[in-house]
Amino acid sequence: MISLLKPSCRFTTLVVAPTNQLAVTAARAVADTPGRIYNPLYIYGGPGLGKTHLLMAIGHAVLDIDPSCTVEYLSIEDFASAWPTARNAGEEEAYCRHYVEAEVLLLDDIHLLAYRRDLQLEILRVLDSVLERNHQVVMASDRAPNRIDGLDERLARRCAAGLVTDVATPAPETRLEVVRRRVQERGAVFHPDILELLAGVGQSDLRQLLALVDSFQEVQRRTHLPLTVEAARGLLNDMGLAEVTGPAGDGQSPRPHADEFGTFLSDVTTTVAGQLEAWRSRVAEAILRWEGEGFRTRRLEALLQADLPADPNAILESFTADVERLRGLESEAQTVSPDLVGSPLFRDPDQVAAAAALVEHARQGRHPLPTPSRMWRLEDLIEAPGNQDALSSAWGVVDQPGTRHNPLAVVAPSGCGKTHVLHGIANKLAEAPNATIACLTASDFIADLEAAREANRLSAWQSRYRGVTGLLIDDIHRWADHPPLGAELVELLDALLEARAQLVVTSVVPLPQLALDRGIVDRLQRGLVVALAPPDRGIRSRVVERLLAAKLSLVDPELTSYLANRPAESVRSLQGLVHRLLNNAEVQGKTPTVAFARELLEGMPQAPPAREQRTRLSGVVVPVAGGLRSREKMVWHWPDAGDRVVEEWS
C-alpha cells in the first residue's frame, strides 16, 4: 500500500554507520534489483534502530526507479487485526490477493507472529506465492528467525532462506549525527554542547532520541528563549535521563602520553590481539553461517565474550557435530511424526538430548501437547456487566480446577473475547506445579484424532490426552464440519471428568444447537455454560482508551468517546478500527483527533479554519424535525458569494 510509505523514510535521510552498514548495503542492492538478490531479505534489531525506515526506503527507491511497480507495506500488527475479520466475512482471499500479487512485499514486525499459528500459516502461504513469482520480499523483526519462540519451522526457514542481517545499537557519534540532522530538519538552533548532551544520554532507541530532540525544540519554542546548557541538563534530570560523561557520551578520558615501556606493552598487546582476532573471526563466521540456517548460536556467542580458549577449533567442530545430529533427528521425526518438524528443539545445538528424547517419545506415540498462547492473559481482560459472569467463572476454574465449573463452556459471537478467556485460563492453569495443559483449536484436535485413526494409533492418541490435567478446546462448533466423531471422544471426556481434569470449551453456537453427537453435548452441559455479550459502551471505551494510551502520550476523551460509539460488532473489529486510525495518523504525520477520525472513517472533510470576516448566513433553513439529510447535500463551507452552489433539500 504505497500510501503507507512515510515520505521521510528514504535512503537519503538515513544515517549510515558501521552498526547498520551491511543492512543498508543489502537494502540498496534489493531496491536496485528486486527479486534478483537477497530474496528474501530479513533485517532484525532492537526497537527504534531504523528497521522500518529501511523497509520504507526500499519501497521509495523501487518506486523512484519504476513508478509502475507494485509495492505493498504490511505490519503484522495490522494483519493480525484485519485478517480474522476478513476470514469471518469469507473475504480472506480478496484481502490477501493484493499482497500475494505485490512485486515488492515489505513485512514489518515479524516477531508478532509468535505463537499465532493461524496467522503464521497465512503469512507462509503469502510468502510462498510471492517468492514463487520471483518477486521481492523484505522482512523486519526485533530478533533473528531462529530466536522467535513459537514460530513455525517452515516459516522460519523461509525467513532465513535469503540474507539475514542485523542493525545494532548506534555508537555515540552516530547518535550525535542523528541529533544534528533532526535539528536541521526542524529548523531549530541549539548550542553545540546541547547537541552533544542529547547524544550523550545513552538512548539506544533512535525513535526515543528523536522524540527527545523534539521535546527540547518545543520547550525552546514555548519560552521564546534560547535553551541553555544548564537548562537542558535540568530537563534531562527531570526526565530521569542521566548524562554520559565524555564528548558525545563516549565515556572516554584522554590517554596519557605513552613512555617507552608503555610502547613495549602496546606492541605486545597488538601481537596478542592479532592472534585473538583470527579465532574470533572464525567464530563470527560460524555464527553468521548457522544463524543464517536458522540455528541458535548461544554457545558460540558466549565463546566470543570469553578469553582465548584452549582449542577454539575443537569447540567449533563440536558445535558442527551437534548441528548434524539435530538434522538427523529432525529427519527421523519427519518419518515418525511429521507434526514434530518445526520444533525449536531441532534448531538449538544445546538441546540435543531434549531433541533426542522428543523423537523417542514420538516413537512410543507420545507427542508434545499444544500449549496456550502466552500473549493472552486473564488479567488483561476488561470486566464489565456483559462479561462479568464469564470472567468470574474463569477465575473460579483457576482457583479450583477440576472441581468447580467442570466443564466450563463459554459461548459468544466471533471476536468478543472467548479465545482470550480460554487461553488466559490455560496460562493460569499451566502455572500450577505438575500441571499438564493441552490448549488447541477444535480443528487441530480433530485433525490429530483423524491422523491417529489413519495410522491405527488411537490408543496412543487417547493415552496422550488422558494424561492432561486440563484440556481447553476453542471453537467446538467447527466439529460439525467434520465426519461423526464416534465414541473415542465420548470415552476421552468421561475419562477426564472422572480424573477431575479441567475441561474448558468455547463456541459461537449455543451448545443445545450444536450439530454433534448428543453424548458429547450432554457431557459438555454438565458443568457451567456462560455467555459473553458483544462489547458494551463501557468495554468499548476502555478498549479504545487502552489502545490509544499505548501510542499517545495524552489521550483525548472526545476521540475515545467518538471511537467507542463507532459501529463495531466485536472487540477485534474495534481494535482494527483504532489501529487503522493510528497508522494513518502516523503516516500522515498528524495528531489523531476527532476531526481526523471523522474524515478517515466517514469520509467527512475536517471543518476549515474559521474566517475572520463577519459570519454569513447560507439562507438555507433546515427543519429540526426533518431527517438528515444526505451528507452530499450538506453545505460545510460557503465560498465567496460568486462561487456559491445552492442545492435542493429533499
Side-chain angles (χ1 to χ4, degrees), residues 85-151:
T85 302
R87 180 185 60 184
N88 292 336
E91 299 177 352
E92 63 267 31
E93 291 295 331
Y95 172 74
C96 293
R97 185 177 300 117
H98 60 285
Y99 297 118
V100 169
E101 296 175 352
E103 295 174 85
V104 177
L105 179 60
L106 310 171
L107 293 176
D108 208 354
D109 296 328
I110 291 293
H111 55 276
L112 296 181
L113 290 171
Y115 297 103
R116 308 194 69 171
R117 188 169 180 268
D118 54 341
L119 298 183
Q120 291 180 28
L121 294 177
E122 190 62 25
I123 288 295
L124 180 62
R125 187 181 69 84
V126 171
L127 285 180
D128 285 344
S129 298
V130 175
L131 294 174
E132 283 175 4
R133 294 178 169 87
N134 290 324
H135 290 173
Q136 182 68 49
V137 176
V138 186
M139 293 171 278
S141 175
D142 68 356
R143 69 205 83 163
N146 62 317
R147 296 293 181 84
I148 303 177
D149 293 332
L151 189 66

Side-chain angles (χ1 to χ4, degrees), residues 404-435:
R404 184 181 182 186
H405 310 326
N406 194 26
L408 174 65
V410 182
V411 179
S414 179
C416 290
K418 60 184 185 301
T419 300
H420 192 150
V421 172
L422 183 91
H423 284 259
I425 294 174
N427 280 311
K428 279 295 181 183
L429 294 177
E431 295 175 2
N434 302 318

Side-chain angles (χ1 to χ4, degrees), residues 23 45 47 105 144 147 151 206 219 312 349 364 383 460 475 479 543 548 634:
L105 179 60
R147 296 293 181 84
L151 189 66
L206 296 182
V219 170
Q364 301 174 13
E383 185 173 340
D475 290 337
W479 282 347
V543 168
L548 293 178
M634 292 182 65

Side-chain angles (χ1 to χ4, degrees), residues 204-220:
S204 61
D205 188 329
L206 296 182
R207 192 182 297 116
Q208 295 180 6
L209 182 62
L210 295 177
L212 188 61
V213 174
D214 292 345
S215 64
F216 270 43
Q217 181 190 4
E218 181 64 16
V219 170
Q220 190 166 261

Side-chain angles (χ1 to χ4, degrees), residues 46-265:
L49 297 184
K51 303 183 298 297
T52 300
H53 191 139
L54 271 175
L55 255 63
M56 294 191 175
I58 291 172
H60 282 300
V62 168
L63 292 172
D64 289 342
I65 296 172
D66 182 6
S68 65
C69 186
T70 306
V71 177
E72 292 290 346
Y73 170 85
L74 174 65
S75 75
I76 297 302
E77 183 178 14
D78 291 342
F79 183 77
S81 299
W83 183 75
T85 302
R87 180 185 60 184
N88 292 336
E91 299 177 352
E92 63 267 31
E93 291 295 331
Y95 172 74
C96 293
R97 185 177 300 117
H98 60 285
Y99 297 118
V100 169
E101 296 175 352
E103 295 174 85
V104 177
L105 179 60
L106 310 171
L107 293 176
D108 208 354
D109 296 328
I110 291 293
H111 55 276
L112 296 181
L113 290 171
Y115 297 103
R116 308 194 69 171
R117 188 169 180 268
D118 54 341
L119 298 183
Q120 291 180 28
L121 294 177
E122 190 62 25
I123 288 295
L124 180 62
R125 187 181 69 84
V126 171
L127 285 180
D128 285 344
S129 298
V130 175
L131 294 174
E132 283 175 4
R133 294 178 169 87
N134 290 324
H135 290 173
Q136 182 68 49
V137 176
V138 186
M139 293 171 278
S141 175
D142 68 356
R143 69 205 83 163
N146 62 317
R147 296 293 181 84
I148 303 177
D149 293 332
L151 189 66
D152 186 278
E153 178 59 25
R154 294 169 298 170
L155 182 55
R157 284 200 297 264
R158 299 296 191 285
C159 293
L163 175 66
V164 178
T165 182
D166 71 323
V167 178
T169 302
E173 56 270 18
T174 304
R175 296 199 302 270
L176 180 58
E177 180 60 25
V178 169
V179 170
R180 284 174 176 162
R181 287 201 185 183
R182 185 67 164 194
V183 170
Q184 291 175 357
E185 290 174 3
R186 298 300 193 208
V189 177
F190 287 122
H191 191 281
D193 290 346
I194 294 181
L195 300 183
E196 295 194 357
L197 188 66
L198 286 167
V201 297
Q203 287 280 10
S204 61
D205 188 329
L206 296 182
R207 192 182 297 116
Q208 295 180 6
L209 182 62
L210 295 177
L212 188 61
V213 174
D214 292 345
S215 64
F216 270 43
Q217 181 190 4
E218 181 64 16
V219 170
Q220 190 166 261
R221 186 187 67 81
R222 290 184 178 183
T223 59
H224 302 289
L225 293 172
L227 195 63
T228 65
V229 176
E230 291 304 317
R233 284 199 176 94
L235 288 173
L236 291 178
N237 290 332
D238 292 342
M239 297 176 184
L241 298 173
E243 176 190 358
V244 181
T245 58
D250 59 6
Q252 302 293 327
S253 55
R255 296 183 58 184
H257 294 290
D259 54 16
E260 185 176 350
F261 182 67
T263 303
F264 167 74
L265 289 179

Side-chain angles (χ1 to χ4, degrees), residues 188-458:
V189 177
F190 287 122
H191 191 281
D193 290 346
I194 294 181
L195 300 183
E196 295 194 357
L197 188 66
L198 286 167
V201 297
Q203 287 280 10
S204 61
D205 188 329
L206 296 182
R207 192 182 297 116
Q208 295 180 6
L209 182 62
L210 295 177
L212 188 61
V213 174
D214 292 345
S215 64
F216 270 43
Q217 181 190 4
E218 181 64 16
V219 170
Q220 190 166 261
R221 186 187 67 81
R222 290 184 178 183
T223 59
H224 302 289
L225 293 172
L227 195 63
T228 65
V229 176
E230 291 304 317
R233 284 199 176 94
L235 288 173
L236 291 178
N237 290 332
D238 292 342
M239 297 176 184
L241 298 173
E243 176 190 358
V244 181
T245 58
D250 59 6
Q252 302 293 327
S253 55
R255 296 183 58 184
H257 294 290
D259 54 16
E260 185 176 350
F261 182 67
T263 303
F264 167 74
L265 289 179
S266 178
D267 293 341
V268 172
T269 301
T270 301
T271 302
V272 174
Q275 297 174 353
L276 290 174
E277 186 63 29
W279 76 265
R280 288 186 187 277
S281 296
R282 292 197 300 275
V283 174
E285 291 171 1
I287 290 174
L288 288 175
R289 173 192 173 187
W290 296 122
E291 272 195 345
E293 295 190 25
F295 290 94
R296 291 180 180 267
T297 57
R298 288 190 301 261
R299 190 191 313 174
L300 300 183
E301 292 169 11
L303 186 61
L304 280 181
Q305 305 301 322
D307 296 330
L308 178 64
D311 191 352
N313 288 330
I315 296 175
L316 289 173
E317 290 173 2
S318 173
F319 187 89
T320 302
D322 287 340
V323 169
E324 295 303 324
R325 172 67 173 145
L326 288 177
R327 284 174 168 166
L329 288 170
E330 188 171 25
S331 177
E332 185 178 357
Q334 177 70 46
T335 303
V336 176
S337 177
D339 61 323
L340 291 183
V341 175
S343 170
L345 290 177
F346 295 128
R347 300 286 104 187
D348 191 346
D350 295 332
Q351 298 288 336
V352 173
L358 182 66
V359 174
E360 179 61 29
H361 287 176
R363 291 195 198 100
Q364 301 174 13
R366 293 179 291 167
H367 301 177
L369 293 166
T371 57
S373 171
R374 287 180 285 183
M375 67 177 290
W376 280 316
R377 304 189 312 155
L378 208 52
E379 299 91 331
D380 293 338
L381 285 164
I382 298 172
E383 185 173 340
N387 65 7
Q388 195 169 25
D389 291 342
L391 293 188
S392 175
S393 303
W395 284 109
V397 165
V398 171
D399 293 337
Q400 301 177 36
T403 59
R404 184 181 182 186
H405 310 326
N406 194 26
L408 174 65
V410 182
V411 179
S414 179
C416 290
K418 60 184 185 301
T419 300
H420 192 150
V421 172
L422 183 91
H423 284 259
I425 294 174
N427 280 311
K428 279 295 181 183
L429 294 177
E431 295 175 2
N434 302 318
T436 305
I437 305 299
C439 182
L440 69 167
T441 65
S443 298
D444 288 343
F445 183 82
I446 292 304
D448 197 12
L449 171 57
E450 292 176 346
R453 282 175 176 168
E454 293 177 3
N456 197 24
R457 297 175 61 182
L458 279 175

